[in-house]
Amino acid sequence: MVDLVKWSLLLSYYTGRFTGVLNFEMDFKTGRVRKTKRATISAAVANLVMLYLYSQILDRQLVAKVWIKTNTLQDTLFRFMMDVRMVCVFLSLASRWCLRRRFMWLFKSVCQIYLRHPDLVQYCRRSIVSKCFGATMFGVLQMTMILFVASNQLTVRLALRIFSIISITYTINVIITQYFIAMAIIRARYGTLAKELQSILAESASLVPNEGETFVTKCCHLADELEKIARAQSHLQTITERISTTYTVQIICLISTNYLNMVGNVYLMFSLSKYKALTASLPKLAILNTIAFVVFYYLDSWLNVFNVFYLIDSHNRMVKLLNQWTLVRPGMHPRLETAFENFTLSLARNPFKLTCFGLFNIDRLGAFAVCNSLIMHSILLILYDVQHF
């Protein structure tokens, strides 16, 4: 049977190498990473090619050339979205060079978790495969949508500029997918740890308190296993915090691009329904393609957001599960009781948080505020169009 998770990981790795997002090599059999001359040169060349492609999108009339019958607001909005996207891509690529060693450590740590605990695949298979499929479909649908719109006036120069736009979007998708996979693997490892913790709690509850040698041996064994879980959880939290700090610039850039894309897609659907001239010369297949593009974009965004939320939920479930140890506390051996107390205190002293520059936490409350802002700005944009065009 084809291992879809493994193929998704390989696809993410090699697309990262191809686009210059990854400037080091990684061995998927051992989890080792290496800074080689070949990886450095290939990443540098890919980044220079990306810089050249950026120069092809600087044409202020590009949107008008691709989509002839746009109004001033549509043209300005789409050009602004492209400019912000370009700036974000190059800031993200620059951070890959400045924080190269940190990224190498993160990729090695996450890969080793995946290799050492193959049973975690069952907890992340669906999300990783869905993400890779959704990102691929999003890229394909965007490419076909642009080709449908520009097919009547397609030239070699315009085709190069369209390829530039697609390449920038593809690079963004690679960065998002790598972040997504890292978080999904950590969340899956939390799932296996929670299962082990539940097993320890069940076995602790089944013990009959006495001073016998068997009872003491079992309690000490359970204490050792619990301490292993505590160390593994601490390591996972350290990796997650380093991912949060290392990806800070990219997270801000990706939030900015996604925010603008979501507002732009809402306005795009409004424009298609209001301005019939935009779609008069397009076949019905192109309209269906555009609708499918918007649907896949929002599904992809939903996967990205909830992947982080599910990680936070996994940690909270472990905390709630650990709090159940007080139910089996009477008669518990001091060695096992101390292990439970130390684990509980460790989680209390180091709360699980995903922050961005220390300015805000990445959680459901923050996402709700962003959603409200998205709705408000989408409505304001539509109202401005209704009043002035």
Side-chain angles (χ1 to χ4, degrees):
M1 183 178 178
V2 179
D3 189 347
L4 294 178
V5 174
K6 182 179 179 180
W7 279 104
S8 297
L9 295 176
L10 291 173
L11 176 64
S12 174
Y13 170 70
Y14 285 110
T15 51
R17 289 290 307 279
F18 177 75
T19 56
V21 172
L22 292 182
N23 48 20
F24 52 85
E25 295 182 358
M26 185 167 63
D27 185 350
F28 272 88
K29 293 182 179 179
T30 62
R32 295 178 180 177
V33 295
R34 295 180 300 167
K35 184 173 63 174
T36 63
K37 184 180 294 186
R38 179 176 59 183
T40 301
I41 293 175
S42 63
V45 170
N47 291 166
L48 289 175
V49 171
M50 192 67 66
L51 184 61
Y52 171 74
L53 294 177
Y54 170 68
S55 67
Q56 300 302 307
I57 311 178
L58 293 177
D59 185 359
R60 297 289 90 185
Q61 302 300 319
L62 178 60
V63 176
K65 291 177 181 178
V66 175
W67 207 331
I68 298 177
K69 298 180 180 180
T70 55
N71 59 34
T72 307
L73 178 60
Q74 293 162 350
D75 183 65
T76 303
L77 176 63
F78 293 142
R79 283 195 287 110
F80 180 69
M81 289 170 60
M82 284 192 295
D83 290 343
V84 171
R85 190 177 301 176
M86 286 303 311
V87 171
C88 290
V89 166
F90 281 99
L91 285 176
S92 298
L93 293 177
S95 72
R96 293 281 175 147
W97 290 101
C98 297
L99 305 174
R100 189 179 191 177
R101 292 187 178 275
R102 291 188 185 181
F103 279 105
M104 291 175 65
W105 184 88
L106 288 175
F107 274 76
K108 180 187 72 173
S109 300
V110 173
C111 187
Q112 287 178 348
I113 291 174
Y114 171 76
L115 293 174
R116 292 173 182 174
H117 308 281
D119 54 326
L120 61 78
V121 173
Q122 60 181 313
Y123 294 93
C124 63
R125 177 184 288 108
R126 182 184 301 176
S127 58
I128 290 178
V129 173
S130 298
K131 170 59 185 176
C132 290
F133 174 76
T136 302
M137 288 300 300
F138 168 73
V140 171
L141 290 170
Q142 183 195 43
M143 179 178 64
T144 54
M145 180 180 70
I146 296 176
L147 291 177
F148 269 126
V149 173
S151 58
N152 294 332
Q153 62 269 13
L154 192 63
T155 62
V156 175
R157 188 172 180 81
L158 184 57
L160 179 60
R161 292 171 176 172
I162 292 173
F163 177 73
S164 304
I165 296 174
I166 295 172
S167 299
I168 297 303
T169 303
Y170 190 69
T171 302
I172 292 175
N173 282 339
V174 170
I175 295 173
I176 295 175
T177 301
Q178 290 178 353
Y179 179 84
F180 181 97
I181 290 175
M183 290 299 193
I185 290 176
I186 293 173
R187 171 173 56 83
R189 179 57 180 146
Y190 259 106
T192 61
L193 289 178
K195 187 176 180 181
E196 294 172 12
L197 178 59
Q198 193 168 15
S199 177
I200 290 176
L201 286 169
E203 194 168 349
S204 299
S206 65
L207 293 176
V208 179
N210 58 60
E211 298 298 329
E213 184 177 344
T214 302
F215 171 73
V216 175
T217 302
K218 286 185 177 180
C219 284
C220 291
H221 171 71
L222 292 176
D224 291 338
E225 294 298 316
L226 185 62
E227 288 172 351
K228 289 180 182 179
I229 294 176
R231 287 193 295 269
Q233 186 279 329
S234 178
H235 182 57
L236 286 180
Q237 190 162 338
T238 298
I239 295 174
T240 306
E241 290 173 354
R242 290 197 180 185
I243 289 176
S244 180
T245 55
T246 305
Y247 272 87
T248 294
V249 173
Q250 297 178 62
I251 289 173
I252 291 179
C253 291
L254 295 175
I255 290 176
S256 302
T257 55
N258 283 334
Y259 187 93
L260 288 174
N261 287 338
M262 287 184 178
V263 174
N265 285 334
V266 171
Y267 181 64
L268 173 63
M269 298 305 295
F270 167 79
S271 298
L272 292 178
S273 62
K274 178 182 178 181
Y275 301 100
K276 303 299 182 182
L278 291 174
T279 58
S281 60
L282 296 178
K284 290 184 178 180
L285 185 59
I287 308 299
L288 294 176
N289 183 95
T290 303
I291 295 173
F293 164 77
V294 174
V295 170
F296 268 96
Y297 178 81
Y298 282 102
L299 286 176
D300 185 64
S301 300
W302 180 84
L303 284 173
N304 294 333
V305 172
F306 276 85
N307 185 52
V308 176
F309 292 164
Y310 291 153
L311 172 58
I312 297 173
D313 292 342
S314 296
H315 176 83
N316 292 336
R317 278 196 296 270
M318 174 170 281
V319 173
K320 291 179 180 179
L321 192 62
L322 184 61
N323 289 335
Q324 296 178 13
W325 79 273
T326 54
L327 301 177
V328 296
R329 184 174 182 177
M332 184 180 293
H333 190 271
R335 171 81 169 81
L336 183 57
E337 185 175 349
T338 301
F340 273 112
E341 288 178 347
N342 290 339
F343 194 5
T344 304
L345 287 174
S346 176
L347 292 177
R349 290 170 181 169
N350 301 287
F352 188 87
K353 289 183 179 180
L354 294 176
T355 62
C356 193
F357 271 132
L359 300 176
F360 58 89
N361 294 330
I362 303 175
D363 52 21
R364 282 182 170 83
L365 186 61
F368 181 74
V370 171
C371 285
N372 286 337
S373 179
L374 279 171
I375 295 172
M376 181 185 69
H377 284 99
S378 298
I379 293 174
L380 289 176
L381 196 62
I382 292 172
L383 289 177
Y384 184 86
D385 183 284
V386 171
Q387 293 175 2
H388 296 87
F389 296 96

